[in-house]
Amino acid sequence: MTAARRLVLVGHGMVGQRFLEALFEQDPAGPGAAWQVTVLAEEPRPAYDRVHLTSWFSGTSAEELSLCPDGFLEKYGIELHLGDRATAVDREARTVTTASGRELPYDVLVLATGSYPFVPPVPGHDAPGCHVYRTIEDLEAIRDAAATAGAGAVIGGGLLGLEAAGALKAMGLPTHVVEFAPRLMAIQVDDGGGAVLRRRIEELGVTVHTGAGAQSVETGEDGAATALALSDGGRIPADLVIFAAGVRPRDELARGCGLPVGERGGIVVDEQCRTADPAVLAIGECALAADGRVYGLVAPGYAMAETAAQALSAGGGSFTGADTSTKLKLLGVDVASFGDAHGAAEGALDVTYSNSRDGVYKKLVIGADGALLGGVLVGDTEAYGILRPLALSGTPLPAPPEQLVLPASAGAPAGPVTLPDEAVVCSCHHVTKGQVRAAVNDKGCTTVPEVKQCTRAGSGCGSCVKLLGTLVTDELAAAGVETARGLCEHFEHTRAELYEIIRVKGIDSFARLVDEHGTDRGAEGCDVCKPAVGSILASLGNGHILDGEQAALQDTNDHFLANLQRNGSYSVVPRVPGGEITPDGLITIGEIARDYGLYTKITGGQRIDLFGATVDALPHIWRRLVDAGFESGHAYGKALRTVKSCVGETWCRYGVQDSVALAVELELRYRGLRAPHKLKSAVSGCARECAEAQSKDFGVIATSAGWNLYVGGNGGMTPRHADLLASDLDRPTLIRTIDRFLMFYIRTADRLERTAPWLERLDGGLDHLRAVVMDDSLGICADLDALMARHIATYEDEWAATLADPVRLRRFVSFANAPGTPDPTVRFVPERDQIRPALPHEDGQPLTAPLIAGAQLEVRAG
């Protein structure tokens, strides 16, 4: 049996991880049979997603960013050394030495050392307050510095610089961007696109300085940064400075061991990613490819990783260049460029559409033969998924180019059907349309997740996911496979269509709806349609959700008006409008938690969550809360959760408006409003944004002239900053606009669709939404106003109403034949002076409290 060859990989970033995956995909002898792999990682954690690094500021954890699947290293016997930088390579002895003193022998060495941030050698560049934007540790340092900083400046107006600026702006800092080139994103966009991009970004409150460089970082008596002096004589007050002026290849190991490097850096490699030493390969940002370029994007890095893996396994594969197209959202502005974006080809001509009023710019570069060569899109990148593959494939255009740049209402954009099979739809993993079609037709994939798993398409930067969805749907339709668009098997209508049917016809029950508009008269429904219809009925004011048939439509949480937890217990969340609570209120909650043995936690929405209640205890707990003046916080429902707030001008020296008063008003106005998904909001009293309003479904930020309204934000797995809908609104206009936004969302969104994907899916996007709710472009504002007025007029606290009704209270039992007896399987163990659910192997105790056995609950009339 041949001994496994020793391979040392230096660098465990995105490209390094992709190399490992490709290496073992190529291994015909099975996992780990051919290679004994050791990985040296300079950072303290395994490979993570740098493309979406900025989402860390919106709540995405380092674990969620991780690219190394659980069990991957163990499966292939990979030895990973974290936080141990390679310091030297001895090519003659074939060893690598690390900072900790390890000396690792190799048969093959792969350098995936990436790049380092370029920091211009300006005076003061290393002063406290100066940062780079490259790793999670860098972001942690920036976040900590922003907590006490007064203003921020970013040196560099490229992709990374604008992302850094977005992070500073989101943290509430006055933000400046300094770019030496005459426009932002000079590599990706042209003058026209740069002008539109600048205008859109400045509208968001970021100050842009182009055609100027950093002259020096000024410092104070303590040596820390205080301001940035510019080459044009300008001066920017800034005690937090981020250098994002580009990157340089990490090629010092190659230089140290005598391997050739490029004049401007980068380890010289051939088409198989081999260096001058056949035993050493280099991939990713540290490599100078055979075409003479150093690539700083993930897609070329992945292609090099796959080429190197093939070279080491089957001996095939070559890397001769890569697609450098980009599509992303910067400070809420969509930007894309692809192919020959600047028209460098001889005889190239431009077709341009510009609408400065709407902040949209589109340019297509057309070759002498009429083929699409490339393009720039700013403000509207909807057509990117079709245009980029067309440009890369060299296929004749399916329509006149002027039609392809016009808005959807005026033009006739090409669809995915026009793409040839050889067109690359996922550049990160070089997946063609033909491969996607094969996954559907030959391998039985019927959904985008299945296609992702089968082809890896869409698992990189994610910009092709929408196109994938269209391709899958079209291919299934072409094969005669009907793709259902209805809510579920019981309805051919979408949720939005059912909402209109219920509203217009005055339908007040699921039974009537399914009889008149369902696919099966008399059907009982399913766990998809029943809660969705129940939510629609509730949002239209059709009685208490636990009355009659309505009660049978609810899911587990709404069924008991509480959040089900992992061990079968429930949590209780009383409403605390705006996070404002009296000492008596705090004492009441504390006494209840003590008396019922509940775990208490302050939530991110400025409320107190009480965990560990049994079903039997819920009414008793809520009786005491209601008597103390509390009401349901609707943490269990698809409804408004909280309106978070800072203390505003009442207490804070930076506040310019009373954010708490507005937050309380909004929370009480929209409490109990049922929606397709949960709703979160926040009000910040100044631009420092302590309440994180731009990460909410609707957020409000105070200005000296009124209020700015942001919509369509969310955290979670796919965080999204909210978009600015309107500026400097007075209070009545602000509230009226929010009313209409919420009712329009409830009216048109799909089941379980948050406002962020709804807004991105909305035909016409933010501009259409603005036209609907502010200009009444659809003529429905009176209806939206009336729906909100009806909600406000008919609101009642669900728990107070439940406590007043003996029929509703009958459901709150663990055992129908033994009311008041808690479920003995719901068990807890002590931890940090409180309780937590017992794990299966732990001998926990059931919850004990003074209520349960023989307790009586007083039922009072409403």
Side-chain angles (χ1 to χ4, degrees):
M1 180 177 177
T2 305
R5 301 175 68 194
R6 297 168 299 183
L7 187 150
V8 174
L9 171 65
V10 180
H12 194 216
M14 297 180 72
V15 172
Q17 174 63 21
R18 179 62 197 129
F19 167 77
L20 294 174
E21 294 170 358
L23 180 69
F24 290 110
E25 289 169 4
Q26 296 284 333
D27 187 356
W35 298 102
Q36 176 187 327
V37 178
T38 303
V39 181
L40 299 175
E42 184 174 7
E43 292 188 54
R45 55 176 55 83
Y48 56 89
D49 186 354
R50 293 191 202 275
V51 174
H52 299 102
L53 186 60
T54 302
S55 67
W56 183 87
F57 284 111
S58 303
T60 302
S61 67
E63 291 73 23
E64 290 169 326
L65 288 170
S66 175
L67 293 177
C68 189
D70 290 341
F72 174 82
L73 300 175
E74 294 78 7
K75 177 179 180 180
Y76 296 112
I78 299 170
E79 185 178 341
L80 173 63
H81 298 287
L82 296 174
D84 197 7
R85 178 174 58 89
T87 56
V89 173
D90 185 334
R91 289 166 49 206
E92 185 174 347
R94 292 196 175 184
T95 60
V96 179
T97 303
T98 73
S100 67
R102 287 189 178 93
E103 189 172 273
L104 301 172
Y106 67 83
D107 297 305
V108 173
L109 173 65
V110 179
L111 301 176
T113 48
S115 60
Y116 65 89
F118 170 65
V119 178
V122 298
H125 69 273
D126 54 354
C130 293
H131 301 266
V132 294
Y133 198 93
R134 182 66 176 169
T135 67
I136 290 178
E137 285 68 37
D138 294 335
L139 269 56
E140 290 175 341
I142 291 169
R143 178 200 58 192
D144 294 343
T148 57
V154 178
I155 300 173
L159 300 176
L160 198 60
L162 293 182
E163 286 209 12
L168 293 184
K169 186 72 174 60
M171 288 186 287
L173 291 180
T175 303
H176 297 256
V177 173
V178 178
E179 171 56 50
F180 185 75
R183 63 178 181 270
L184 297 173
M185 289 184 65
I187 295 175
Q188 288 80 18
V189 305
D190 60 359
D191 288 337
V196 171
L197 177 61
R198 175 173 183 157
R199 188 180 305 113
R200 292 284 298 271
I201 287 176
E202 287 183 331
E203 287 173 355
L204 297 173
V206 175
T207 304
V208 177
H209 310 262
T210 55
Q215 190 75 21
S216 66
V217 177
E218 299 180 4
T219 57
E221 293 182 358
D222 60 354
T226 58
L228 189 64
L230 304 182
S231 59
D232 62 1
R235 182 179 181 276
I236 301 171
D239 47 2
L240 197 166
V241 178
I242 297 177
F243 289 95
V247 295
R248 299 291 185 268
R250 288 284 302 269
D251 55 14
E252 64 271 20
L253 282 176
R255 292 177 185 271
C257 67
L259 288 172
V261 297
E263 184 178 346
R264 301 184 62 182
I267 307 166
V268 176
V269 297
D270 62 15
E271 292 185 356
Q272 290 196 316
C273 297
R274 296 187 187 275
T275 68
D277 184 338
V280 182
L281 293 82
I283 55 177
E285 293 176 309
C286 69
L288 178 65
D291 63 352
R293 299 181 61 180
V294 174
Y295 290 89
L297 298 172
V298 67
Y302 281 174
M304 296 177 80
E306 291 159 8
T307 297
Q310 291 172 1
L312 293 177
S313 300
S318 64
F319 179 86
T320 57
D323 176 22
T324 58
S325 302
T326 55
K327 176 180 178 288
L328 64 165
K329 186 184 288 287
L330 298 166
L331 287 100
V333 183
D334 291 305
V335 181
S337 70
F338 55 93
D340 182 7
H342 296 286
E346 184 176 354
L349 299 173
D350 296 347
V351 176
T352 304
Y353 169 83
S354 182
N355 183 340
S356 57
R357 182 175 66 88
D358 292 336
V360 173
Y361 174 86
K362 302 179 183 180
K363 183 187 79 172
L364 300 184
V365 179
I366 309 299
D369 59 354
L372 179 63
L373 301 180
V376 174
L377 307 172
V378 177
D380 178 7
T381 59
E382 186 71 18
Y384 173 81
I386 301 299
L387 295 175
R388 183 190 61 82
L390 282 174
L392 298 181
S393 67
T395 304
L397 288 174
E402 57 270 19
Q403 276 193 317
L404 299 178
V405 297
L406 288 173
S409 59
V417 69
T418 63
L419 294 175
D421 277 354
E422 62 270 18
V424 176
V425 298
C426 174
S427 57
C428 289
H429 295 288
H430 201 76
V431 180
T432 65
K433 175 187 172 183
Q435 289 173 299
V436 173
R437 294 184 61 208
V440 174
N441 295 320
D442 301 337
K443 299 183 180 179
C445 298
T446 60
T447 65
V448 170
E450 289 175 355
V451 171
K452 279 186 176 182
Q453 187 173 13
C454 180
T455 67
R456 300 183 65 87
S459 60
C461 70
S463 64
C464 64
V465 170
K466 185 172 183 179
L467 176 59
L468 284 178
T470 305
L471 286 173
V472 171
T473 300
D474 289 352
E475 203 61 32
L476 289 172
V481 178
E482 186 174 351
T483 54
R485 58 182 293 275
L487 182 64
C488 68
E489 64 187 68
H490 300 105
F491 293 97
E492 294 179 349
H493 303 283
T494 65
R495 181 207 168 272
E497 290 168 344
L498 290 175
Y499 179 94
E500 292 302 321
I501 290 170
I502 294 170
R503 183 183 70 85
V504 173
K505 299 187 70 172
I507 293 175
D508 59 3
S509 70
F510 180 88
R512 180 184 166 191
L513 181 67
V514 77
D515 281 350
E516 296 181 10
H517 300 279
T519 58
D520 182 10
R521 182 182 176 90
E524 295 183 358
C526 63
D527 57 2
V528 171
C529 61
K530 288 197 296 184
V533 172
S535 174
I536 294 173
L537 292 171
S539 69
L540 291 171
N542 283 282
H544 197 287
I545 66 169
L546 297 185
D547 281 348
E549 182 207 54
Q550 273 270 73
L553 303 179
Q554 309 307 323
D555 59 20
T556 301
N557 284 353
D558 282 317
H559 190 77
F560 291 117
L561 305 181
N563 275 336
L564 178 66
Q565 303 302 311
R566 65 182 298 170
N567 68 336
S569 64
Y570 288 83
S571 74
V572 171
V573 188
R575 185 171 301 285
V576 181
E580 185 178 72
I581 189 169
T582 65
D584 285 343
L586 283 171
I587 290 169
T588 297
I589 291 176
E591 289 176 340
I592 291 172
R594 178 197 61 205
D595 293 347
Y596 293 94
L598 306 178
Y599 170 86
T600 57
K601 189 176 189 306
I602 307 296
T603 74
Q606 300 179 333
R607 301 188 293 186
I608 300 174
D609 207 339
L610 311 173
F611 292 84
T614 62
V615 169
D616 308 74
L618 289 173
H620 299 268
I621 292 170
W622 272 107
R623 166 55 67 207
R624 291 178 60 175
L625 288 170
V626 169
D627 287 348
F630 289 100
E631 62 179 35
S632 171
H634 287 93
Y636 49 80
K638 301 295 186 288
L640 177 75
R641 297 291 176 85
T642 63
V643 181
K644 187 177 180 180
S645 78
C646 64
V647 296
E649 68 174 356
T650 307
W651 293 92
C652 179
R653 66 185 188 277
Y654 298 111
V656 294
Q657 301 283 359
D658 188 351
S659 57
V660 177
L662 179 62
V664 171
E665 180 179 358
L666 294 178
E667 186 158 343
L668 295 180
R669 185 176 184 84
Y670 304 127
R671 57 187 169 178
L673 181 64
R674 295 284 169 159
H677 210 297
K678 63 185 176 185
L679 291 164
K680 295 184 179 181
S681 179
V683 181
S684 286
C686 74
R688 295 173 75 88
E689 247 284 71
C690 292
E692 302 169 328
Q694 291 182 78
S695 65
K696 302 296 189 286
D697 295 282
F698 63 101
V700 182
I701 301 178
T703 70
S704 57
W707 305 92
N708 287 351
L709 174 60
Y710 295 81
V711 297
N714 66 238
M717 289 290 290
T718 54
R720 181 187 192 274
H721 271 98
D723 295 326
L724 179 63
L725 183 65
S727 303
D728 296 329
L729 300 177
D730 58 47
R731 202 181 193 94
T733 305
L734 171 71
I735 292 174
R736 182 177 69 243
T737 306
I738 298 173
D739 285 355
R740 294 173 177 177
F741 161 73
L742 290 173
M743 296 314 301
F744 187 52
Y745 160 66
I746 292 170
R747 183 172 180 165
T748 60
D750 287 338
R751 167 185 171 269
L752 300 181
E753 185 176 39
R754 290 290 298 273
T755 59
W758 168 75
L759 182 57
E760 292 181 342
R761 178 181 61 82
L762 199 64
D763 188 17
L766 185 69
D767 291 336
H768 174 62
L769 175 64
R770 188 180 291 116
V772 170
V773 301
M774 303 193 74
D775 303 329
D776 200 13
S777 62
L778 298 180
I780 62 172
C781 282
D783 288 341
L784 300 179
D785 294 342
L787 287 167
M788 183 59 75
R790 181 167 71 172
H791 162 73
I792 295 168
T794 59
Y795 168 78
E796 66 172 351
D797 175 39
E798 289 173 352
W799 261 110
T802 298
L803 293 170
D805 188 336
V807 176
R808 295 173 188 154
L809 286 174
R810 290 174 190 159
R811 71 177 55 244
F812 293 94
V813 294
S814 297
F815 304 101
N817 59 348
T821 303
D823 186 346
T825 65
V826 178
R827 307 175 75 84
F828 303 86
V829 295
E831 185 170 274
R832 295 190 297 276
D833 298 325
Q834 296 203 77
I835 61 167
R836 66 163 173 81
L839 298 175
H841 64 277
E842 294 177 313
D843 295 326
Q845 297 298 317
L847 184 68
T848 57
L851 105 105
I852 307 295
Q856 298 296 316
L857 183 66
E858 178 185 358
V859 180
R860 305 171 191 165

